[in-house]
Amino acid sequence: VVSAGRERTATITDVARAARVSPATVSRVLNGTSEVSADRAERVRTAVVKLAYQPFSPARALRHQRTNVWAAIVADIENPFFTSVVRGIEDGAHERGYRVVLCNSDGDLAKEADYVDVAIAERMAGVVIAMASTRRSNLAPLLDRGIPVVAIDRRPARATVDCVVVDNRAGAAEATAHLIEVGARRIACITGPRGVSTATERLAGYRDALERAGMEVDGALVRREDFREAGGYDAVTALFGGRDRPDALFVANNQMTVGALHALHDRGIDVPGDVAIVGFDDAPWATLTRPQLSVVAQPTNEIGRVAAELLAGGGGGRARTVVLPPKLVIRQSSARPR
Amino acid sequence: VVSAGRERTATITDVARAARVSPATVSRVLNGTSEVSADRAERVRTAVVKLAYQPFSPARALRHQRTNVWAAIVADIENPFFTSVVRGIEDGAHERGYRVVLCNSDGDLAKEADYVDVAIAERMAGVVIAMASTRRSNLAPLLDRGIPVVAIDRRPARATVDCVVVDNRAGAAEATAHLIEVGARRIACITGPRGVSTATERLAGYRDALERAGMEVDGALVRREDFREAGGYDAVTALFGGRDRPDALFVANNQMTVGALHALHDRGIDVPGDVAIVGFDDAPWATLTRPQLSVVAQPTNEIGRVAAELLAGGGGGRARTVVLPPKLVIRQSSARPR
DNA sequence: GTGAAAGCGCTAACAC
DNA sequence: GTGTTAGCGCTTTCAC
């Protein structure tokens, strides 16, 4: 008789009763923790199927004092860079029997702290985090409790945790050097907020390249924005507001690049004729824009997979840092200007 | 004395001891379930802070037989349409005290079934799902157990659950009618796989528009692909392989549109000169392409928020279906061809 | 091999 | 108001 739902969900005791064994035996069969005679095991398996039994994982977690869930806390769930990284984490987690809960801190320290609390309350097995700020961190409560943490993309200033990052400084320097080589003389840099390591490192790389070329770093050509589309738009508006316009742009993340391109278009500024441009992070649509966009591409999937590997390693011993190489992809937006 | 982590995490009993009250009183203070004298409440709060106590939610879940977590199971986490919808769900969930776990079925029925199992094992409070297939569903186990379900984007053929969808048929018809009006005579439709309602409905809308205009539906101009970028690419390759090329394209999702544009570019086909094109789903970069992309935009955030509202409503009574209007956004890619 | 029993952390029912 | 108690579903001793 199939009754219309809503009957009490079967527990291990129900299965035990149906199989005429003890709950302990059911547990042993399900987890393979010790030998069980063939016929009893069979009876258990039949009962499990018949009752559509699903172990209640909070009860397990209560026993084990630990879940098999990882939290991935990222600063912006709508940024394709992060979702792609998360894909990598998921793949790595799946292979190791973990599940991944994706949390969106929105770049907000308080929201991030909330999700850290959640991770603790749930006794999650580990946390992968792209921090809202690398200066002020919410990591201490996790570390105090011995919950393994891997920082991705952004490198915490103080806390010593495993990290997976890209060589931002080198990538930015390469991009800037490329703009110099192509003939640009007034190169602007649109980077992210203070207190986010990627923003700082990419700016440092930009400076490196200018200095190596014997060019002066003009403070008026450096804009700190918020890593969002609007930030890129505003930066371009400011940079092209007066005289002494830049003839090239290095933009330190994907969303700001979108904003910058919109602003350039709105002002009728031609790319790469009037300004050459190189962005950070590749995207599926980067070859659909006219001109096609030159970028510093990051190995997103690998970042996630390596993070999963480190997290599974459990943060034992010294904090490890894995630095992956970015790759300059030259397309049309950085063709020789003028 | 700050000891180097790893001491046992504080439990409610520890807090009770430190505050010289019973565990029940601690629980009452924390949950506000009944009045507690001011001084005891104060002692409890002090102890909570001092011990950095965090309630262990699996234990709560065990008591309550229910968590405060919703699962959002989507067919493709890297599709910005879905992440944007998830943002809406999160907003709605947050307001109501729920948290959202994002799960990626990858359009795969087996993975989807896995996540459904997880949702059951965790006794999640609800599930929002963009189904891998609307023909064969994994919903029965959820419904049997009385777990509220809201289907988004895709409408299940059989199961009766709450739905939030867009009027795909009308949106597709409008897009196609626009292409007709602009002078196109051989309009191709690149839609998604059989067994996904959005694919079917958008195709139906395309047919509607042709019929209304007294135009014949040519089967050779209809391609069923997989809603991924590669699908769009392949479709264009096939459509433009022989003679009798289309002079317009209606592409039924964002990722396939990217693929289609790549293929057109690779073949040197001019948009909109040789073919006009309208895609489905808007994107931040849609105005960066040259020509700018005409699309049928969906109210992604609202889809998520409405889903949250329905889920919180708990699926009581008859299954409700909310149909939201899409909006045709005309840009340059659908300018008069030739 | 197997079952009985205890207990993980929390809360709701019940006494006082 | 407050404490005592029982029990949620599961796993893991510990006897047998």
Side-chain angles (χ1 to χ4, degrees):
Chain A
V1 179
V2 177
S3 79
R6 209 59 60 105
E7 57 234 280
R8 200 171 58 75
T9 305
T11 72
I12 201 169
T13 320
D14 301 327
V15 175
R17 195 161 22 233
R20 287 169 290 122
V21 299
S22 73
T25 298
V26 176
S27 172
R28 287 190 265 255
V29 172
L30 263 35
N31 301 305
T33 38
S34 77
E35 291 298 301
V36 172
S37 70
D39 65 324
R40 296 172 105 84
E42 192 44 42
R43 275 173 10 223
V44 168
R45 274 186 281 270
T46 314
V48 164
V49 171
K50 174 149 167 276
L51 300 178
Y53 170 71
Q54 294 266 19
F56 185 32
S57 53
R60 288 176 109 132
L62 181 55
R63 275 288 333 198
H64 289 130
Q65 299 293 322
R66 176 130 302 184
T67 64
N68 67 337
V69 177
W70 285 348
I73 306 177
V74 302
D76 185 358
I77 198 195
E78 292 191 78
N79 184 331
F81 167 75
F82 287 120
T83 49
S84 180
V85 170
V86 168
R87 271 299 285 264
I89 298 171
E90 276 185 338
D91 293 345
H94 222 80
E95 290 166 8
R96 297 174 172 85
Y98 291 99
R99 291 179 299 109
V100 178
V101 173
L102 183 50
C103 311
N104 185 28
S105 76
D106 229 350
D108 182 74
L109 269 170
K111 274 196 194 175
E112 182 177 280
D114 279 352
Y115 280 117
V116 165
D117 284 351
V118 169
I120 292 169
E122 300 285 345
R123 304 292 191 277
M124 290 193 182
V127 173
V128 179
I129 186 168
M131 301 168 67
S133 160
T134 47
R135 286 236 200 89
R136 306 194 41 216
S137 102
N138 287 308
L139 264 35
L142 293 168
L143 302 175
D144 287 350
R145 287 173 175 77
I147 297 180
V149 175
V150 175
I152 54 165
D153 184 50
R154 302 159 182 209
R155 192 199 304 248
R158 265 185 286 277
T160 50
V161 296
D162 289 350
C163 286
V164 186
V165 294
V166 138
D167 192 340
N168 290 295
R169 191 158 178 167
E174 197 183 351
T176 310
H178 163 63
L179 288 168
I180 295 171
E181 192 194 311
V182 122
R185 283 300 162 262
R186 288 184 54 73
I187 305 172
C189 173
I190 306 177
T191 190
R194 280 170 218 292
V196 177
S197 64
T198 44
T200 308
E201 291 168 18
R202 290 170 196 172
L203 174 56
Y206 158 84
R207 290 204 168 111
D208 288 349
L210 293 186
E211 282 164 16
R212 264 179 232 141
M215 292 166 69
E216 196 183 330
V217 178
D218 179 352
L221 291 178
V222 173
R223 305 289 310 180
R224 288 233 178 222
E225 299 287 347
D226 68 352
F227 269 153
R228 311 267 168 135
E229 191 177 326
Y233 195 99
D234 295 346
V236 165
T237 305
L239 286 167
F240 288 82
R243 65 203 111 264
D244 269 353
R245 297 172 160 199
D247 57 8
L249 242 41
F250 166 61
V251 190
N253 105 327
N254 51 1
Q255 320 221 81
M256 291 199 305
T257 306
V258 170
L261 290 171
H262 279 147
L264 291 171
H265 178 251
D266 287 354
R267 302 180 76 89
I269 298 166
D270 183 54
V271 179
D274 299 326
V275 255
I277 183 165
V278 177
F280 220 98
D281 303 325
D282 207 354
W285 49 264
T287 51
L288 295 180
T289 57
R290 291 293 167 273
Q292 297 184 351
L293 191 63
S294 299
V295 297
V296 179
Q298 303 194 60
T300 49
N301 208 267
E302 197 186 349
I303 293 173
R305 297 196 68 102
V306 172
E309 199 181 317
L310 292 180
L311 201 59
R318 285 196 322 9
R320 298 153 290 182
T321 295
V322 176
V323 179
L324 269 17
K327 185 160 169 283
L328 177 63
V329 181
I330 299 172
R331 299 200 180 100
Q332 304 163 341
S333 67
S334 59
R336 191 168 298 274
R338 215 126 303 148
Chain B
V1 179
V2 177
S3 79
R6 208 60 59 109
E7 56 233 281
R8 198 171 60 74
T9 306
T11 72
I12 201 169
T13 320
D14 300 326
V15 175
R17 196 159 23 230
R20 288 169 291 123
V21 299
S22 73
T25 298
V26 177
S27 172
R28 287 191 266 254
V29 173
L30 263 38
N31 301 305
T33 38
S34 77
E35 290 297 301
V36 172
S37 70
D39 66 323
R40 296 171 105 84
E42 192 44 42
R43 283 183 352 236
V44 167
R45 274 187 280 269
T46 313
V48 163
V49 172
K50 175 150 166 275
L51 299 177
Y53 169 71
Q54 293 267 18
F56 186 31
S57 55
R60 288 176 110 131
L62 181 54
R63 273 286 337 195
H64 290 133
Q65 298 294 318
R66 176 131 301 185
T67 65
N68 67 336
V69 178
W70 286 346
I73 306 176
V74 302
D76 185 357
I77 198 193
E78 290 192 79
N79 184 332
F81 166 75
F82 287 121
T83 49
S84 180
V85 171
V86 168
R87 272 299 286 264
I89 298 172
E90 278 186 336
D91 292 345
H94 222 78
E95 290 167 8
R96 297 173 171 86
Y98 291 99
R99 291 179 300 109
V100 177
V101 172
L102 182 51
C103 310
N104 185 28
S105 76
D106 230 351
D108 182 74
L109 268 170
K111 277 196 192 177
E112 182 178 279
D114 279 351
Y115 280 116
V116 165
D117 284 350
V118 168
I120 292 168
E122 301 285 348
R123 304 292 192 277
M124 290 192 182
V127 173
V128 179
I129 186 168
M131 301 167 68
S133 161
T134 46
R135 286 236 200 88
R136 305 195 40 216
S137 104
N138 287 309
L139 264 34
L142 293 169
L143 301 177
D144 287 350
R145 288 174 175 75
I147 297 180
V149 175
V150 175
I152 53 165
D153 185 50
R154 302 161 181 208
R155 191 198 305 247
R158 263 184 288 276
T160 48
V161 295
D162 289 350
C163 285
V164 185
V165 294
V166 137
D167 191 341
N168 290 295
R169 191 159 178 168
E174 198 183 352
T176 309
H178 164 62
L179 288 168
I180 294 170
E181 191 192 312
V182 122
R185 284 299 162 262
R186 287 184 53 74
I187 304 172
C189 173
I190 306 178
T191 190
R194 279 170 219 292
V196 177
S197 64
T198 43
T200 308
E201 291 168 17
R202 290 170 195 173
L203 174 57
Y206 158 84
R207 291 206 168 110
D208 288 349
L210 293 187
E211 281 165 17
R212 263 180 233 142
M215 291 165 69
E216 196 181 331
V217 178
D218 179 353
L221 291 177
V222 173
R223 305 287 312 178
R224 288 234 178 220
E225 299 289 344
D226 68 353
F227 269 152
R228 311 266 168 137
E229 192 178 325
Y233 195 99
D234 296 346
V236 165
T237 306
L239 286 167
F240 289 80
R243 66 203 108 263
D244 268 353
R245 296 171 160 200
D247 56 8
L249 242 41
F250 166 61
V251 191
N253 102 328
N254 51 0
Q255 321 222 80
M256 292 198 305
T257 306
V258 170
L261 290 170
H262 279 147
L264 291 171
H265 179 250
D266 288 355
R267 301 179 78 91
I269 297 167
D270 183 55
V271 179
D274 299 326
V275 253
I277 182 165
V278 177
F280 220 98
D281 302 325
D282 206 355
W285 50 264
T287 50
L288 295 180
T289 57
R290 291 293 169 270
Q292 298 183 350
L293 192 62
S294 299
V295 297
V296 180
Q298 303 194 58
T300 50
N301 208 266
E302 196 185 350
I303 293 172
R305 297 196 69 103
V306 172
E309 197 182 319
L310 292 180
L311 201 58
R318 287 199 318 6
R320 297 153 292 182
T321 296
V322 175
V323 180
L324 267 20
K327 184 159 169 285
L328 178 62
V329 180
I330 299 173
R331 301 200 181 99
Q332 305 161 341
S333 67
S334 58
R336 192 167 299 274
R338 213 121 307 140

